[in-house]
Amino acid sequence: SKMGFTAKIVTLLKLPLAFLKAAQLIFMRRPKAILGVGGYASFPVVLIGAILGVRTAIWEPNAFPGLSNRILARWVDQV
């Protein structure tokens, strides 16, 4: 993959903070729905939104879904 091993570890270590920031953003904005378009950046927001009861959907423009969308497909309201 394009991302090096060290960058992947750093990203994993930052994930808990991303979940906290996503929850904060959802509580502040109170969205009616959240649309994820794939990738690691949308993962925390869509997952926390689904857990908090916000309507969620993901859109996959590629022929083969990425890891984030494959995981999120189990949690969201609409794929």
Side-chain angles (χ1 to χ4, degrees):
S1 115
K2 295 178 186 178
M3 188 184 282
F5 179 75
T6 303
K8 288 179 182 179
I9 296 298
V10 169
T11 299
L12 283 175
L13 292 174
K14 289 182 178 180
L15 207 51
L17 181 59
F19 283 114
L20 291 173
K21 287 187 175 192
Q24 179 184 28
L25 182 64
I26 291 167
F27 281 123
M28 286 174 44
R29 296 290 184 152
R30 302 279 183 194
K32 292 183 179 169
I34 298 171
L35 173 64
V37 293
Y40 70 92
S42 68
F43 183 82
V45 178
V46 176
L47 183 60
I48 293 296
I51 291 169
L52 293 175
V54 178
R55 291 201 43 82
T56 53
I58 52 174
W59 178 66
E60 179 59 64
N62 301 305
F64 299 103
L67 178 61
S68 292
N69 277 352
R70 288 195 314 263
I71 295 169
L72 289 171
R74 300 179 188 123
W75 292 87
V76 300
D77 297 306
Q78 187 72 42
V79 178

